[in-house]
Amino acid sequence: MSDKAFVLGCSAIGAGLAMIAGIGPGIGEGYAVGKTIESIARQPEAQGDCTRTMFIGVAMAESTGIYSFVVALILMFANPFIKRLG
Amino acid sequence: MILAAGDVTDFLSINLTTIIASWLNLLILFLVLKHFLFDKVNKVLEDRKNEVAETYKRADEAEENAKKLEDDYRERLSGAKEESAQIIQAATKKAQQRSDEIIAEAKTEAKGITENARAEIEREKKIAVNKIKDDITDIAFSAAQAVIEKDLTSEDNEKLIAEFIDSVGEA
Amino acid sequence: MDDIGAGPKVVFEIGSIVITETVVMGWLIVAVVTLLCLWLTRGLKKVPDSKRQVVAEMFVKFVNDMVKKNMGEKLMGYSPYIGALLISAVLGALISMVGLRSMTADINVTAAWALLTFVLITFHKIKANGFVGYLKSFAQPVAFILPLNLISELATPASMAFRLFGNVAGGMVITGLLYGALGTASEALHLHFAFGQWAFSALQVGIPAVLSIYFDLFSGCIQAYIFSMLTMVNVGAAAEE
């Protein structure tokens, strides 16, 4: 097995592992949405505010997932380790 | 790495030209939005806000004015009522006074007239009495002449007559 | 696979200065927005009689209200900048719906904007606290927390840049992957038709559009909103201190 193939394979595994971080935002977003629905049920007149704030919060929570996704993308498409091989 | 047209850059490559160009684009967009959209629209919005505020102010002023006028009228109306009552009172008083005066005058006049009339009556009476006296004197004289065909002195005659008259007058 | 994870193409170069697709998209957006602004603000009246003016006023009011709420009355001068950020980010993401490359799917653009935000934050912090006060604020509340404060200070622009870039580029990559997968599936199901140079896969019609609507329209708009929101909140907070 060549060095390059090994590095590429490990990078692919790493990219896959990086995406495990998607669990966190998933749980967080679900929790945020659930709480928002609770508050809307309690105060239906505040639906607009609640929804807007929820979207912002969800997008914020998503950023951790996005970071891991960026890492995965880097490993797949702009692999820095391949360049190190020379 | 020297790139030519049509080359594809890396997924995560840092490109200073792109960064600077992005800043310039954002700056241009900022200026464009500021001068062509925000300044103009803000001015219009501000104008409209001012106009609405002005309109409201004017309406408020008009309302206040109307209220003031109404108050004024009401005050004046109540004043007029009072005044009219006063005037009526004064007129009544005056009329009363006048009527009293007139009545008093009339009374005085009536009294004067009565007095005059009485005086006249008295005078007439006196005249009448005198006339009657004279007439009686004449009648008595002629009667006496006729009865007493006697020549009397004028002096005696007169005396007799006076006595006669007095006796008649007393009767 | 080659064109899925690719960066922006080079359109032309002047000497060693390389102009990529991203920059051209930026120019396109600036041109479109300029024309749009000129068209929208033609014949503004106190009493609006055209839909153009209503749209222009709605946008301006939306941005003004946002800036007023998040930055305060004093920093209302930033509203055109926030509007520019919002429009650039939204159009930069939406431009991929007409088949061009998203402007914000280039880390250079988002990094440039985030750096600008960082500069504004620092400027307002120095303005509010003085230079010494600004430096001292890193050692608050205790001195050994300094590296953490430094990292958190630098993390703000980095996270902003990567958030926007990651969303748009991720959407682009996923759409590309799906497109490729649908092409392969079409070939496997014998739904791939080729007429000489022309190639056509039946499954590639329609299905990627749904994904595109989520990633470009929804995600792009939300992330643009969040980027401008974070800029406003951070700069506003820095100015208040």
Side-chain angles (χ1 to χ4, degrees):
Chain A
M1 189 162 55
S2 69
D3 284 354
K4 197 177 174 189
F6 182 72
V7 167
L8 279 176
C10 284
S11 297
I13 292 170
L17 286 177
M19 285 317 292
I20 292 174
I23 294 170
I27 295 170
E29 282 171 31
Y31 191 71
V33 174
K35 281 285 176 191
T36 309
I37 290 169
E38 257 177 41
S39 53
I40 290 174
R42 199 173 299 150
Q43 258 182 306
E45 67 272 13
Q47 184 177 15
D49 276 342
C50 286
T51 316
R52 216 173 308 134
T53 317
M54 182 202 77
F55 271 126
I56 298 167
V58 162
M60 291 276 208
E62 203 170 65
S63 50
T64 47
I66 293 294
Y67 299 153
S68 73
F69 187 57
V70 170
V71 170
L73 288 181
I74 290 169
L75 285 174
M76 284 201 290
F77 301 118
N79 199 327
F81 307 119
I82 287 285
K83 283 170 197 153
R84 284 229 186 138
L85 279 177
Chain B
M1 185 164 65
I2 292 160
L3 292 159
D7 279 357
V8 176
T9 56
D10 278 340
F11 185 63
L12 263 177
S13 57
I14 297 296
N15 189 339
L16 208 62
T17 316
T18 311
I19 292 179
I20 293 168
S22 299
W23 279 336
L24 287 179
N25 279 345
L26 199 62
L27 182 72
I28 294 167
L29 207 59
F30 165 71
L31 292 176
V32 163
L33 282 180
K34 185 169 160 50
H35 285 288
F36 293 130
L37 190 67
F38 276 76
D39 281 0
K40 282 184 184 176
V41 174
N42 274 336
K43 195 171 163 287
V44 169
L45 289 177
E46 194 70 24
D47 280 358
R48 189 179 306 152
K49 210 167 128 193
N50 286 345
E51 200 183 271
V52 168
E54 186 83 7
T55 311
Y56 267 102
K57 211 175 121 193
R58 240 181 287 152
D60 280 352
E61 262 171 26
E63 204 188 327
E64 210 171 301
N65 244 355
K67 214 169 196 176
K68 225 159 76 183
L69 268 178
E70 201 193 323
D71 281 356
D72 204 32
Y73 277 132
R74 198 163 281 165
E75 205 173 300
R76 265 206 219 157
L77 212 64
S78 67
K81 259 184 196 162
E82 220 165 86
E83 208 174 327
S84 74
Q86 231 167 29
I87 287 169
I88 289 169
Q89 213 179 358
T92 316
K93 209 169 156 188
K94 212 169 171 186
Q96 188 72 38
Q97 220 172 3
R98 185 89 186 102
S99 80
D100 283 358
E101 246 174 51
I102 287 168
I103 288 168
E105 225 167 80
K107 263 185 186 162
T108 324
E109 210 171 317
K111 213 175 176 182
I113 287 169
T114 319
E115 220 123 278
N116 269 357
R118 204 165 278 161
E120 187 91 348
I121 288 165
E122 202 70 27
R123 204 159 49 92
E124 293 280 329
K125 206 175 157 184
K126 232 174 219 169
I127 289 170
V129 168
N130 280 350
K131 204 177 172 191
I132 289 168
K133 266 183 186 171
D134 284 350
D135 282 354
I136 290 172
T137 311
D138 281 349
I139 291 166
F141 197 70
S142 52
Q145 247 178 359
V147 174
I148 321 161
E149 289 279 26
K150 175 176 130 186
D151 227 25
L152 288 171
T153 57
S154 191
E155 235 172 72
D156 287 342
N157 217 5
E158 287 283 329
K159 200 177 167 189
L160 201 66
I161 290 163
E163 268 169 22
F164 174 74
I165 287 169
D166 279 347
S167 65
V168 170
E170 271 162 25
Chain C
M1 271 296 268
D2 277 349
D3 57 336
I4 289 170
K9 279 197 193 72
V10 176
V11 178
F12 61 89
E13 76 270 8
I14 308 162
S16 61
I17 298 172
V18 174
I19 303 296
T20 58
E21 263 180 308
T22 313
V23 181
V24 178
M25 293 305 136
W27 292 341
L28 196 69
I29 287 170
V30 168
V32 166
V33 169
T34 308
L35 289 177
L36 209 65
C37 280
L38 288 175
W39 181 67
L40 281 175
T41 58
R42 216 174 41 188
L44 286 179
K45 288 190 191 96
K46 253 189 219 170
V47 182
D49 54 353
S50 60
K51 274 196 184 142
R52 290 201 311 259
Q53 188 176 347
V54 175
V55 170
E57 279 179 18
M58 248 168 60
F59 176 72
V60 171
K61 260 190 200 158
F62 171 69
V63 176
N64 275 346
D65 286 351
M66 218 157 63
V67 171
K68 199 186 276 180
K69 214 161 85 182
N70 293 307
M71 294 173 91
E73 201 78 57
K74 264 198 281 182
L75 296 178
M76 280 302 278
Y78 273 108
S79 58
Y81 173 68
I82 299 298
L85 262 185
L86 203 60
I87 286 186
S88 301
V90 168
L91 289 184
L94 289 189
I95 209 161
S96 69
M97 291 192 86
V98 293
L100 298 165
R101 195 178 189 281
S102 292
M103 186 174 75
T104 40
D106 188 337
I107 186 69
N108 295 304
V109 176
T110 57
W113 295 351
L115 270 178
L116 210 52
T117 302
F118 178 70
V119 168
L120 289 174
I121 292 171
T122 311
F123 168 74
H124 277 291
K125 274 192 177 167
I126 292 175
K127 202 179 160 194
N129 302 322
F131 191 66
V132 181
Y134 169 68
L135 290 182
K136 264 188 193 159
S137 74
F138 282 109
Q140 299 284 338
V142 270
F144 72 83
I145 214 161
L146 189 126
L148 283 177
N149 272 337
L150 264 176
I151 287 171
S152 84
E153 191 75 8
L154 293 174
T156 309
S159 78
M160 277 170 77
F162 275 107
R163 184 178 297 123
L164 188 55
F165 164 74
N167 267 281
V168 180
M172 193 181 74
V173 168
I174 290 177
T175 314
L177 284 174
L178 182 79
Y179 205 71
L182 286 174
T184 315
S186 306
E187 262 178 68
L189 294 168
H190 302 290
L191 289 167
H192 182 79
F193 311 103
F195 308 101
Q197 290 242 310
W198 254 63
F200 172 75
S201 296
L203 289 178
Q204 279 180 353
V205 180
I207 298 172
V210 180
L211 219 60
S212 175
I213 282 175
Y214 173 75
F215 280 112
D216 295 334
L217 203 68
F218 181 71
S219 190
C221 289
I222 291 255
Q223 291 303 325
Y225 180 69
I226 285 169
F227 192 91
S228 18
M229 190 63 118
L230 282 175
T231 303
M232 281 186 287
V233 169
N234 284 326
V235 175
E240 258 174 33
E241 272 169 16

